[in-house]
Amino acid sequence: MDISGLQKLLKLFTKDSVTMDEAMKVVNHPAFSEMIKHRRSLGYIPKPWITKKRLGKFIKRAVSHKPLDMIWKWLNPWNLFGLADISINLQRYQRLIDTISYYGDDMVNQVLKRISVFAPKDVVFRDHCSFAVGWGVRGWATRKTCGVNIEHFKDDFRLLIRTISHETFHRLQLNVCPIDQSVKNMHPKFDDLVHYPFPDKKDRKFYEVLTYIFLEGSATFVGGLSSESQMEKKAIEGLKLLREIRRAIYEETDFEETEKLLNSGLKSNGPFYALGYHMTNCIVDKYGSSAIVESLLEGSLWFFKRYFEAYRGISPNRRSEFLRFGRKIEEKVNELGSLVKKERRKNRRREIPDQNS
């Protein structure tokens, strides 16, 4: 648990004012610089995007005790990129960080307990979770680290543990899930997991959508939920979106519409999180956690095929517990799976040395 970035930030708030140079030292801390990188990689965050310089100015104004700055902070805790809340409730945040520091090992153990059930046994995985401040985004993961923005949690430790588990599981996925060989040895980032070099652009886009559903849904399942009351409804919305995307890609060749639909499925823990959660839940119920371990190692197409198998193998009186994807999506998933399997066999043959050489 890396709270050093937040500690540097809170220390600034003990002053009456800070210079831009002092603010930028906090901004350049990995917790904040990686948080900014993540935000800029999201397709649904509207402009103007946060930059290091803008964040530095926000910090400077958040520390300020000038009357206009104080009024602006009092008006809304979200102001100044969420830093207004830090300023107004400084002592509470200081106590919170002290608590996280004291119970850090216990929190780590809770996170690892959730993740280890779904981790391949031979994987050695080390990472750290950074704490930052960032309006509108609760948790994040980059190629270097994962993190949370503390003002979204305050002292809700259950939500904090769930979110850290979710984001850390993304970091595990980056270490074990199949990835295009062209980027495998180049410090891949999370978004690289959703790309596969199919010859047809349509197949590449559909694979991207399927893989986001798998990655986000399984991480949501591992992290856990406070309530499942709305998940079934959102999962149904996610399946409708997926059907619309299949039609937009393969029947209309409309990639602009596809991108809009994908963003609506992912934005703010959208319907694709719920759809992937539902699929993970059904697979674990039918086959156990080992099926999710296999899915991590084999990839999203394996995950979808496992779900289809589980649907066909369950007794008719329990079919209502599953969502039926339909023939067109299932056929396309099987077709893409056959292409991947064929490519992997070809690559394995290349890797086997000639016995006579």
Side-chain angles (χ1 to χ4, degrees):
M1 297 288 189
D2 183 5
I3 58 173
S4 58
L6 266 185
Q7 287 171 325
K8 287 179 180 291
L9 175 69
L10 295 181
K11 194 173 181 180
L12 291 186
F13 280 93
T14 61
K15 301 183 178 186
D16 291 330
S17 64
V18 295
T19 65
M20 193 64 180
D21 285 343
E22 288 175 307
M24 291 306 295
K25 284 180 181 178
V26 171
V27 173
N28 288 318
H29 186 283
F32 288 92
S33 58
E34 290 300 307
M35 177 271 294
I36 291 172
K37 282 181 187 176
H38 171 263
R39 291 181 70 90
R40 294 181 71 86
S41 71
L42 297 174
Y44 52 80
I45 295 289
K47 291 183 179 180
W49 291 329
I50 190 70
T51 62
K52 285 188 173 184
K53 188 174 180 180
R54 281 197 181 109
L55 183 56
K57 288 180 178 179
F58 286 147
I59 291 174
K60 195 170 181 293
R61 287 189 61 194
V63 173
S64 167
H65 288 185
K66 292 179 180 178
L68 284 178
D69 291 327
M70 292 303 299
I71 291 171
W72 187 241
K73 288 183 285 186
W74 290 333
L75 283 172
N76 193 326
W78 285 122
N79 284 343
L80 302 175
F81 204 60
L83 290 160
D85 195 42
I86 306 294
S87 174
I88 300 302
N89 296 292
L90 181 59
Q91 290 184 341
R92 291 182 177 183
Y93 277 106
Q94 287 170 331
R95 288 198 297 270
L96 174 60
I97 296 306
D98 289 342
T99 303
I100 292 172
S101 177
Y102 185 80
Y103 289 104
D105 289 343
D106 291 335
M107 294 174 68
V108 168
N109 288 335
Q110 289 187 54
V111 171
L112 292 180
K113 185 178 179 181
R114 290 169 181 258
I115 291 175
S116 61
V117 180
F118 303 95
K121 290 181 180 178
D122 58 344
V123 168
V124 177
F125 176 67
R126 295 184 181 89
D127 209 343
H128 64 275
C129 177
S130 299
F131 285 69
V133 175
W135 175 84
V137 175
R138 195 166 67 192
W140 45 271
T142 67
R143 68 175 65 180
K144 288 186 178 180
T145 185
C146 69
V148 291
N149 296 327
I150 195 62
E151 78 279 16
H152 295 268
F153 306 92
K154 298 182 173 65
D155 59 356
D156 187 343
F157 287 99
R158 291 180 180 176
L159 178 59
L160 185 58
I161 292 295
R162 289 199 302 268
T163 305
I164 293 174
S165 300
H166 179 117
E167 300 301 341
T168 306
F169 194 70
H170 279 328
R171 297 283 297 157
L172 176 65
Q173 290 169 338
L174 191 55
N175 280 263
V176 300
C177 289
I179 197 165
D180 184 3
Q181 292 296 318
S182 64
V183 297
K184 192 169 186 178
N185 299 316
M186 299 172 60
H187 303 292
K189 59 184 184 298
F190 180 72
D191 287 350
D192 292 327
L193 293 176
V194 304
H195 298 296
Y196 190 87
F198 291 105
D200 191 332
K201 182 181 177 182
K202 295 177 183 178
D203 292 340
R204 293 197 296 272
K205 193 64 186 176
F206 197 57
Y207 178 84
E208 177 186 343
V209 176
L210 296 176
T211 306
Y212 270 125
I213 292 170
F214 161 56
L215 295 173
E216 295 294 1
S218 58
T220 301
F221 183 84
V222 171
L225 300 170
S226 59
S227 169
E228 296 191 10
S229 59
Q230 296 296 315
M231 290 303 282
E232 184 177 354
K233 181 181 177 182
K234 288 182 70 175
I236 292 170
E237 291 174 17
L239 180 53
K240 288 179 181 177
L241 267 179
L242 182 60
R243 287 171 177 159
E244 289 180 40
I245 284 175
R246 191 211 62 80
R247 185 167 56 251
I249 292 174
Y250 291 104
E251 296 178 19
E252 301 168 9
T253 320
D254 190 341
F255 291 103
E256 186 175 333
E257 178 64 15
T258 299
E259 196 63 31
K260 289 178 183 176
L261 293 170
L262 174 58
N263 284 336
S264 66
L266 295 174
K267 183 168 62 175
S268 302
N269 295 337
F272 281 162
Y273 286 70
L275 178 59
Y277 174 92
H278 167 82
M279 294 174 69
T280 306
N281 191 30
C282 290
I283 291 171
V284 171
D285 182 57
K286 177 70 175 174
Y287 300 114
S289 59
S290 62
I292 303 304
V293 177
E294 290 173 359
S295 298
L296 290 175
L297 296 170
E298 297 294 332
S300 57
L301 299 174
W302 174 277
F303 172 77
F304 272 80
K305 289 171 77 172
R306 260 320 213 181
Y307 178 83
F308 300 149
E309 289 170 8
Y311 175 82
R312 288 192 295 269
I314 202 165
S315 59
N317 64 326
R318 290 191 63 196
R319 285 276 168 88
S320 61
E321 298 173 22
F322 282 63
L323 293 178
R324 188 171 180 275
F325 278 67
R327 178 179 56 81
K328 291 181 179 179
I329 290 178
E330 189 166 344
E331 285 179 353
K332 180 53 66 175
V333 168
N334 290 332
E335 179 189 326
L336 296 181
S338 297
L339 290 173
V340 170
K341 192 182 292 185
K342 185 177 178 181
E343 185 66 23
R344 287 179 181 173
R345 281 201 300 265
K346 193 187 301 181
N347 289 335
R348 277 197 289 269
R349 284 199 296 271
R350 289 196 196 105
E351 291 169 2
I352 298 173
D354 188 345
Q355 299 287 331
N356 298 319
S357 61

